[in-house]
Amino acid sequence: MSRLAALALLLCLAGPARAEEIYVSNERDNTVSVIDGDSLEVLRTFPVGRRPRGLTFSQDGRSLYVCASDSDAVQVIDPETGQVRHNLPSGEDPEQFALAPDGRTLFIANEENATTTVVDAQTRKVLAQIDVGIEPEGVAVSPDGRTAVTTSETSNMVHWIDTRTLAAVDATPVGQRPRFAAFTADGSRLWASSEIGGTVSVIDVATRKVIETIAFAVKGIAADRIQPVGIQMSKDGRHAFVALGPSDRVAVVDTATYRVESYILVGRRVWQLALNAAGTRLFTTNGVSGDVTVIDAATFRPIKTVKVGRFPWGAAARPMPSAQATDGRAAGAVP
């Protein structure tokens, strides 16, 4: 067989290329909407548990995890069919979570009982329940998998968890009502948003000390309407995108100078952000207007508004399954 014929055969076996998908949780409708990453149209919407908020994917893209807050469950869903495979034990009122780099350990913030629940997604067992501050919400795991953090809204703290011992080891004071946390790609910095404080704290991970506090000011918008929530780092790490809540803006921050470069007008009350895999498009969930704004991540210009369900909250880009991993046994796959 010639090399050309062999290549043609491989392309046939691989099947047609699939567009990337962006998944959005609709808090009031108890649904998830799926947006085609190319056409920017809603492909389908399927029901989930009550008051869905945070959502993320297994590393192979074959399992969708959804925090169904009022169902007190993390649901594991087949993204192809929208069917719930099973629920994971999550603790009371799960808000947000983060999947560790090992592809199986979930760290879940439980707002009502001031804990972080750690679950093995493969065995479906609770590994630990860790006491943190009052009303925990934001969760992140460092790129090297050694550290997890939880933000507590009432205690105004970032709590540091050793992932080997599953114990809280330190706490860093930040601004009022911290809602979200994100590590930089090299793991040296942690960014934490403070909704009521109106700021983002940049923390040195080695010392666990705040090294910069970023404030925001939008012309014509009252200061109390500038409420930072979701944070998304750009693919090249040069910028951080920060959702500013009822100001209806996304701030673009230079990660080297901490200077705000731009404010992007989006839909009403922007909550969370997600980048596509290439890092070329940013998707924002706009709770009050019930839509998603798609932004060109290079020019910082909105491209399109996509109508979804009522009160969209979380967003996640689905890693598209590879042609080689067709039997569900790829790394990170969850039965």
Side-chain angles (χ1 to χ4, degrees):
M1 182 183 294
S2 69
R3 291 178 62 186
L4 185 60
L7 177 60
L9 177 60
L10 285 173
L11 290 173
C12 289
L13 291 173
R18 297 182 58 183
E20 187 173 25
E21 296 173 341
I22 310 299
Y23 286 61
V24 175
S25 58
N26 300 306
E27 191 175 8
R28 292 283 178 88
D29 284 346
N30 303 327
T31 61
V32 168
S33 295
V34 184
I35 299 172
D36 184 287
D38 288 342
S39 68
L40 304 180
E41 302 288 343
V42 174
L43 296 172
R44 59 191 182 277
T45 298
F46 54 84
V48 293
R50 291 182 293 135
R51 193 167 158 260
R53 304 200 93 186
L55 69 170
T56 194
F57 280 93
S58 60
Q59 292 171 349
D60 63 2
R62 296 184 181 279
S63 294
L64 171 67
Y65 302 98
V66 177
C67 271
S69 298
D70 286 355
S71 296
D72 292 335
V74 168
Q75 297 186 311
V76 182
I77 295 171
D78 182 340
E80 296 288 346
T81 65
Q83 296 298 308
V84 177
R85 293 185 180 131
H86 52 265
N87 290 346
L88 294 174
S90 66
E92 192 174 355
D93 191 14
E95 293 284 318
Q96 295 187 53
F97 51 17
L99 183 65
D102 65 7
R104 62 185 294 169
T105 309
L106 278 172
F107 290 81
I108 306 164
N110 303 118
E111 188 170 62
E112 291 300 320
N113 60 5
T115 61
T116 296
T117 299
V118 187
V119 175
D120 185 318
Q122 292 189 9
T123 64
R124 309 180 199 176
K125 302 293 186 182
V126 173
L127 302 177
Q129 283 199 303
I130 305 164
D131 290 334
V132 291
I134 301 171
E135 289 193 289
E137 176 154 336
V139 185
V141 180
S142 62
D144 64 9
R146 295 181 179 180
T147 303
V149 297
T150 302
T151 66
S152 55
E153 297 177 11
T154 300
S155 301
N156 301 327
M157 294 276 191
V158 171
H159 302 270
W160 302 81
I161 297 169
D162 185 318
T163 60
R164 290 160 290 190
T165 63
L166 298 180
V169 294
D170 204 352
T172 303
V174 292
Q176 285 183 277
R177 196 174 170 83
R179 295 294 300 270
F180 194 86
F183 283 93
T184 55
D186 65 2
S188 67
R189 301 286 185 265
L190 179 77
W191 289 49
S193 62
S194 297
E195 185 179 29
I196 302 303
T199 60
V200 168
S201 299
V202 182
I203 302 171
D204 178 80
V205 173
T207 63
R208 300 173 188 153
K209 303 294 185 184
V210 175
I211 60 172
E212 188 75 26
T213 300
I214 303 167
F216 305 92
V218 181
K219 186 177 180 179
I221 302 294
D224 64 358
R225 293 185 60 80
I226 300 174
Q227 300 176 9
V229 188
I231 302 170
Q232 176 67 61
M233 300 296 173
S234 66
K235 191 78 170 179
D236 60 11
R238 295 174 56 190
H239 295 97
F241 300 101
V242 182
L244 298 181
S247 73
D248 307 336
R249 301 298 197 282
V250 171
V252 184
V253 182
D254 185 306
T255 56
T257 65
Y258 306 120
R259 183 177 66 86
V260 179
E261 291 189 0
S262 181
Y263 292 102
I264 307 168
L265 180 63
V266 294
R268 295 177 61 198
R269 197 177 184 101
V270 53
W271 280 116
Q272 299 293 340
L273 311 166
L275 275 175
N276 64 351
T280 57
R281 288 176 173 176
L282 181 72
F283 295 77
T284 79
T285 57
N286 312 316
V288 173
S289 53
D291 52 35
V292 169
T293 302
V294 186
I295 297 168
D296 185 306
T299 64
F300 310 146
R301 295 183 181 277
I303 299 170
K304 186 175 182 178
T305 298
V306 182
K307 195 69 177 176
V308 288
R310 292 184 301 162
F311 281 75
W313 198 92
R318 181 187 180 190
M320 296 311 294
S322 66
Q324 290 80 15
T326 56
D327 62 358
R329 293 194 295 269
V334 176

